[in-house]
C-alpha cells in the first residue's frame, strides 16, 4: 500500500489500516508528499523509458495518487490499483489524471497481456509477506502477483518496485517468487552504506536479461563500487530506512547533488568535506 512514503508498521491489513483519516493525513502532509515524489522520480528513472514518446504505466499500490502525479508530470499515462477504498476515494477527490481500480494485488493483476509499458510501485510489495487471513499464503500471493504482472507488461519493459524489507528472509522470498514468475533483474540499493538514506528498488526485466542500473551513492570508502547489498535478520536495521535524510546532513547534501547531476546541472565533485559544517570564526 503506497501513499505514505514510509515503511508500514503492520497494524493490520492495508485495507483496514488506511482508513479515511489516515488517507487524508498522508495526502496532505508536505513531508510525505516530498518523500513520495522523490521515490517516484527514482522509480520512473529506473524504468529507462524512451524519451521520444509517452508511455502507459501501471502503479501498483497507488494510494491517493501521489506517485501518479509525478508520472503525469512526466507526460505519461497511468492506471493505479490499490486495496484501500479510502485511499482511492482521496485520489478521486484530488482529481488525479490516472484511472483507478480497487483490487488486491495478491489476487493478481487484472489486465490483459502486454498492456503496459512499465510498472512502478512505492512501499507496497512488502504487504504481500503478511498472512493477514488464514487463507493467505505469502509465497502463493507473491507468485500470483508477479506471474500476472509479468503477463500484463510488454516484452522488453521493466517493473521497478520500491519496498521496505523487514529482514533478509523476506527479501529473498520476494525476489525468489519474482524470478520464478519469469522476471530477470535484481535489487538496486541506493546509498547502501547509509542507515537513513538507504532505499531498496527491485528492478525487474520482462523477456530479456538487462543490466541493472547503477545504484546511487554505491561507492565504498576505497572508491570501489559496492556490488551487493548486505542484509540482516534484525528488524531494527530497517527502522531508519524510511523517509528522507536529515536536512543539511551529508546524506541529504549528496542526494541533492545527485539529483542535480541527473538534471544535467553542473555540480562540484564530492569530497570528504562535502556536507561538513564549518566551524564558526571569531
Amino acid at each position: 500500500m503506497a501513499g505514505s512514503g514510509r515503511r508500514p508498521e503492520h497494524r493490520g491489513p492495508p485495507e483496514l489500516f488506511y482508513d479515511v483519516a489516515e488517507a487524508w493525513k498522508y495526502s496532505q502532509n508536505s513531508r510525505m508528499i516530498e518523500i513520495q515524489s522523490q521515490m517516484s522520480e527514482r522509480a520512473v528513472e529506473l524504468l529507462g523509458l524512451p524519451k521520444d514518446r509517452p508511455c502507459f504505466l501501471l502503479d501498483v499500490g497507488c494510494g491517493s495518487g501521489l506517485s501518479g502525479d509525478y508520472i503525469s508530470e512526466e507526460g505519461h499515462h497511468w492506471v493505479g490499483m490499490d486495496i484501500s477504498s479510502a485511499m482511492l476515494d482521496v485520489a478521486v477527490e484530488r482529481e488525479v489524471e490516472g484511472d483507478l481500480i480497487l483490487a488486491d494485488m495478491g489476487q493478481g493483476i487484472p489486465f490483459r497481456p502486454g498492456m503496459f509499458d512499465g510498472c512502478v510501485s512505492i512501499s507496497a510489495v512488502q504487504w504481500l509477506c503478511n498472512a493477514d487471513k488464514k487463507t493467505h499464503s505469502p509465497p502463493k500471493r507473491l507468485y500470483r502477483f508477479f506471474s500476472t504482472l509479468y503477463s500484463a507488461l510488454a516484452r522488453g519493459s521493466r517493473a521497478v518496485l520500491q519496498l521496505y524489507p523487514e529482514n533478509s528472509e523476506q527479501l529473498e522470498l520476494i525476489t525468489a517468487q519474482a524470478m520464478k514468475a519469469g522476471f530477470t533483474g535484481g535489487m538496486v540499493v541506493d546509498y547502501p552504506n547509509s542507515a537513513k538514506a538507504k532505499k531498496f528498488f527491485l528492478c525487474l526485466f520482462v523477456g530479456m536479461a538487462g543490466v541493472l542500473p547503477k545504484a546511487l551513492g554505491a561507492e565504498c570508502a576505497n572508491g570501489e563500487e559496492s556490488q551487493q547489498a548486505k542484509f540482516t535478520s534484525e528488524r531494527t536495521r530497517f527502522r531508519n530506512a524510511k523517509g528522507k535524510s536529515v536536512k543539511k546532513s551529508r546524506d541529504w547534501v549528496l542526494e541533492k547533488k545527485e539529483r542535480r547531476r541527473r538534471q544535467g546541472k553542473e555540480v562540484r565533485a564530492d569530497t570528504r568535506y562535502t556536507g561538513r559544517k564549518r566551524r564558526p570564526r571569531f
Side-chain angles (χ1 to χ4, degrees), residues 195-209:
K196 295 181 179 180
K198 181 187 292 185
K199 292 292 182 295
F200 294 83
F201 293 89
L202 184 57
C203 189
L204 303 173
F205 304 99
V206 181
M208 63 175 185

Side-chain angles (χ1 to χ4, degrees), residues 1-257:
M1 175 58 242
S4 65
R6 69 177 188 178
R7 178 182 173 277
E9 297 177 356
H10 301 298
R11 287 179 279 177
E15 65 270 30
L16 299 180
F17 175 70
Y18 291 98
D19 56 16
V20 176
E22 285 286 328
W24 273 113
K25 181 177 72 173
Y26 290 139
S27 302
Q28 295 178 331
N29 187 302
S30 59
R31 178 176 176 273
M32 295 300 178
I33 293 173
E34 182 179 358
I35 293 171
Q36 188 81 2
S37 178
Q38 290 175 355
M39 292 193 294
S40 300
E41 178 183 358
R42 179 59 171 154
V44 172
E45 178 185 25
L46 291 172
L47 282 180
L49 299 173
K51 298 181 179 181
D52 57 344
R53 63 178 177 85
C55 295
F56 189 42
L57 306 180
L58 174 64
D59 184 357
V60 176
C62 64
S64 58
L66 295 178
S67 50
D69 288 343
Y70 178 78
I71 295 174
S72 296
E73 290 175 4
E74 291 297 295
H76 302 298
H77 309 289
W78 60 279
V79 171
M81 59 178 288
D82 203 284
I83 196 173
S84 170
S85 57
M87 280 289 193
L88 294 179
D89 287 342
V90 173
V92 171
E93 291 191 42
R94 293 181 61 247
E95 298 182 345
V96 296
E97 295 185 22
D99 293 321
L100 306 169
I101 180 173
L102 178 65
D104 176 6
M105 61 181 175
Q107 295 182 358
I109 304 299
F111 296 100
R112 62 180 174 80
M115 186 171 180
F116 297 100
D117 299 311
C119 170
V120 296
S121 180
I122 307 298
S123 312
V125 176
Q126 69 272 351
W127 286 100
L128 292 178
C129 294
N130 297 342
D132 295 316
K133 299 179 181 178
K134 291 183 178 179
T135 57
H136 282 182
S137 167
K140 290 181 179 180
R141 283 170 59 78
L142 281 164
Y143 179 73
R144 177 66 178 169
F145 165 65
F146 283 119
S147 60
T148 53
L149 175 62
Y150 188 94
S151 176
L153 292 171
R155 298 294 83 91
S157 63
R158 300 181 188 180
V160 177
L161 317 173
Q162 182 273 330
L163 65 153
Y164 289 115
E166 289 190 356
N167 49 48
S168 60
E169 288 78 12
Q170 189 180 90
L171 197 56
E172 290 169 4
L173 173 63
I174 293 172
T175 54
Q177 296 305 311
M179 302 306 153
K180 182 180 177 182
F183 285 105
T184 57
M187 193 69 63
V188 175
V189 185
D190 285 350
Y191 305 103
N193 303 311
S194 170
K196 295 181 179 180
K198 181 187 292 185
K199 292 292 182 295
F200 294 83
F201 293 89
L202 184 57
C203 189
L204 303 173
F205 304 99
V206 181
M208 63 175 185
V211 178
L212 280 179
K214 182 180 178 181
L216 302 181
E219 290 191 354
C220 302
N222 58 7
E224 296 180 356
E225 290 187 11
S226 174
Q227 298 296 329
Q228 296 181 342
K230 296 181 180 180
F231 307 111
T232 176
S233 297
E234 298 179 6
R235 179 180 294 188
T236 53
R237 278 286 300 276
F238 294 92
R239 290 200 181 279
N240 290 327
K242 52 189 174 183
K244 61 179 180 180
S245 304
V246 177
K247 194 170 184 179
K248 303 299 183 181
S249 67
R250 176 177 170 80
D251 290 328
W252 181 87
V253 173
L254 290 173
E255 288 182 64
K256 186 174 180 180
K257 292 178 70 174

